[in-house]
Structures are given as structure tokens and as C-alpha cells.
């Protein structure tokens, strides 16, 4: 995503077309294909999850980089002779870490359900390793005699996904104080608006300072003009 958004052009087009192609393939179909090539294991689950979810990060990070690369500090870094790697590491990456953390937290629940689905189908983690999906698969034949064996893993999956989603929502609201609908967030947004107004006021003051000599000249010309008018009026009175 960083490479696509920063360089643009052909690089951006190629990467985005790869993203489109990958997103058009269902995740389970991709898992079945990889399971046919690789043996079901923890490594297979990791590969499937990475291949299935990297496109979301690529798209969102690309949109962030498209905005950040136009900032003044990036232009100044280029003028100073900084390499692309330095610009990525010191100027772009720190500004997108918040977005990455929030997106990763929001997707924890999806990844857990996806892994549980693979393990339940026998395409993911295998015995003797432990997985909630594998526990559900083993307990499905005993649902009438030992209902708790299949209920407890399901409750654990539900609570974990709910907790990760709540944490993700909290992080998103924390890193975006101008979100609507929350008075506390509106107060924080008003605070930042006040800062922007103060900065604009300082800039106006700076412009007024630059205009001060011109205003002094205008005042001097106006005083001379009034003196000329007064002298003209006095001369007119003397003539009468």
C-alpha cells in the first residue's frame, strides 16, 4: 500500500489490479486450493490469512499515503536529499501506524472466525494442537449428550470477537476525535477547531505586522491631506 500510493503510475496500477484479482477470489476457495497444495497445519493457516487479508491493508494504507505524500514535510525531506527508505520510515510510517493498529484490532474477530472455520473443516490446525474450530468439530458428534463441549468453544469465540470489536471501536474513536454522535468527541473536535482558529489568528497578526509600515504611510498621507485642506480653507477665509 505504501509503495502503491507513494510511487503511483504503473506501480500503483499493477498493485491495485493484483488487489482486485485477489479480492475477487473467495477466502474459503483460496483455502481449499492452498490445502490441496500444502498439508493442513498452523503454517497453512497463517499463509491463508495473510493472503486473504493483505488487500484490506493495501487499499487503506494507499489512500493514507496519497494524502500524506503531498504534505510539506515530505516535500522538504525530498529537497533535503532523504532517500525513499528514510521518507518511508521516518515521515510516512509513523503517520499511518494508528490506522494500521485500528484496522488490525477490528479484524481480529474476523481472523478468529476464519481460522475456526478452516479448522472445523479440517483445513487448518490439526491435532495435537488446540483450536476452537477443532474443538467444535470434535464435539459435534456429542451435541446431544455433552452440549457444553460444543457450547463453550462457541461462547469463547463470540466473547473474543466481541471484545476485539469493542477495542477496535474504542481505538478508532480515540484516534479520530472529530467523530460525530459523541459529545465527548465533539468537545475534543471543538478543542482542535479552537486550536486551528488560534493558529489562523496568529497568521492574521503576522500579516498585519507586515502591513504596519504601509498603514503608517497611509496615515501620514491622510494627515498631510488634512493639513492641505485646512490651509486651503484658511486661505479662502483670508480672501473673503
Amino acid at each position: 500500500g505504501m509503495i502503491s500510493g507513494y510511487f503511483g503510475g504503473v506501480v500503483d496500477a499493477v498493485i491495485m489490479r493484483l488487489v482486485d484479482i485477489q479480492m475477487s477470489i473467495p477466502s474459503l476457495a483460496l483455502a481449499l486450493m492452498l490445502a490441496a497444495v500444502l498439508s493442513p497445519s498452523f503454517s497453512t493457516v497463517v499463509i491463508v490469512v495473510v493472503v486473504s487479508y493483505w488487500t484490506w491493508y493495501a487499499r487503506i494504507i494507499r489512500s493514507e499515503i496519497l494524502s500524506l505524500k503531498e504534505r510539506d514535510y515530505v516535500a522538504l525531506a525530498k529537497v533535503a536529499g532523504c532517500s525513499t527508505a528514510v521518507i518511508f520510515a521516518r515521515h510516512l510510517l509513523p503517520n499511518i501506524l494508528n490506522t494500521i493498529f485500528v484496522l488490525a484490532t477490528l479484524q481480529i474477530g474476523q481472523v478468529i472466525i476464519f481460522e475456526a472455520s478452516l479448522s472445523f473443516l479440517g483445513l487448518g490446525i490439526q491435532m495435537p494442537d488446540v483450536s476452537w474450530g477443532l474443538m467444535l468439530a470434535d464435539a459435534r458428534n456429542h451435541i446431544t449428550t455433552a452440549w457444553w463441549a460444543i457450547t463453550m468453544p462457541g461462547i469463547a469465540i463470540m466473547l473474543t470477537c466481541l471484545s476485539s470489536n469493542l477495542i477496535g471501536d474504542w481505538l478508532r474513536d480515540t484516534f479520530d476525535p472529530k467523530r460525530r454522535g459523541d459529545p465527548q468527541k465533539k468537545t475534543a473536535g471543538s478543542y482542535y477547531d479552537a486550536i486551528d482558529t488560534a493558529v489562523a489568528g496568529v497568521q492574521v497578526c503576522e500579516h498585519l505586522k507586515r502591513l504596519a509600515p504601509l498603514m503608517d504611510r497611509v496615515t501620514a498621507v491622510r494627515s498631510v491631506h488634512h493639513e492641505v485642506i485646512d490651509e486651503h480653507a484658511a486661505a479662502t477665509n483670508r480672501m473673503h
Side-chain angles (χ1 to χ4, degrees):
M2 293 181 65
I3 295 174
S4 176
Y6 184 80
F7 292 103
V10 178
V11 176
D12 182 28
V14 171
I15 294 177
M16 286 299 101
R17 296 299 75 76
L18 291 176
V19 169
D20 294 337
I21 293 173
Q22 197 281 324
M23 294 186 70
S24 65
I25 302 175
S27 300
L28 287 178
L30 181 62
L32 290 172
M33 181 182 65
L34 291 177
V37 178
L38 305 173
S39 59
S41 63
F42 178 78
S43 301
T44 303
V45 173
V46 173
I47 294 173
V48 172
V49 169
V50 171
V51 173
S52 299
Y53 286 93
W54 75 272
T55 54
W56 297 91
Y57 294 89
R59 280 186 175 276
I60 294 177
I61 292 174
R62 171 183 175 271
S63 63
E64 293 282 342
I65 296 299
L66 288 175
S67 174
L68 292 175
K69 74 175 184 179
E70 303 297 334
R71 302 293 177 87
D72 293 338
Y73 56 83
V74 176
L76 292 175
K78 293 179 181 179
V79 173
C82 296
S83 63
T84 303
V86 172
I87 294 176
F88 275 17
R90 302 184 64 177
H91 299 285
L92 296 179
L93 183 59
N95 289 287
I96 62 174
L97 284 179
N98 294 341
T99 303
I100 295 175
F101 289 152
V102 172
L103 182 60
T105 307
L106 290 172
Q107 286 192 335
I108 287 177
Q110 299 180 14
V111 173
I112 290 175
I113 295 176
F114 185 65
E115 182 276 328
S117 302
L118 293 178
S119 299
F120 183 83
L121 295 174
L123 303 176
I125 297 176
Q126 302 295 315
M127 295 292 292
D129 295 330
V130 180
S131 170
W132 282 328
L134 192 59
M135 295 171 66
L136 292 173
D138 292 338
R140 62 184 172 180
N141 295 326
H142 310 285
I143 189 172
T144 57
T145 57
W147 58 268
W148 56 87
I150 196 171
T151 302
M152 295 307 168
I155 293 176
I157 293 174
M158 181 192 69
L159 292 178
T160 305
C161 296
L162 178 62
S163 301
S164 64
N165 289 336
L166 292 176
I167 293 174
D169 291 338
W170 175 79
L171 288 175
R172 181 178 58 188
D173 294 340
T174 301
F175 291 131
D176 188 7
K178 294 185 178 181
R179 288 183 59 82
R180 300 177 180 177
D182 192 339
Q184 185 176 0
K185 304 300 183 297
K186 289 183 179 180
T187 302
S190 301
Y191 171 74
Y192 287 108
D193 291 338
I195 293 178
D196 294 338
T197 304
V199 172
V202 171
Q203 294 176 350
V204 171
C205 291
E206 293 294 331
H207 288 298
L208 291 177
K209 289 181 181 179
R210 295 177 183 177
L211 292 176
L214 179 61
M215 297 298 294
D216 293 338
R217 293 181 183 178
V218 172
T219 303
V221 171
R222 292 178 63 182
S223 62
V224 171
H225 177 68
H226 287 301
E227 291 177 0
V228 171
I229 292 177
D230 293 340
E231 292 178 359
H232 178 70
T236 303
N237 293 331
R238 286 196 297 270
M239 288 178 62
H240 290 291

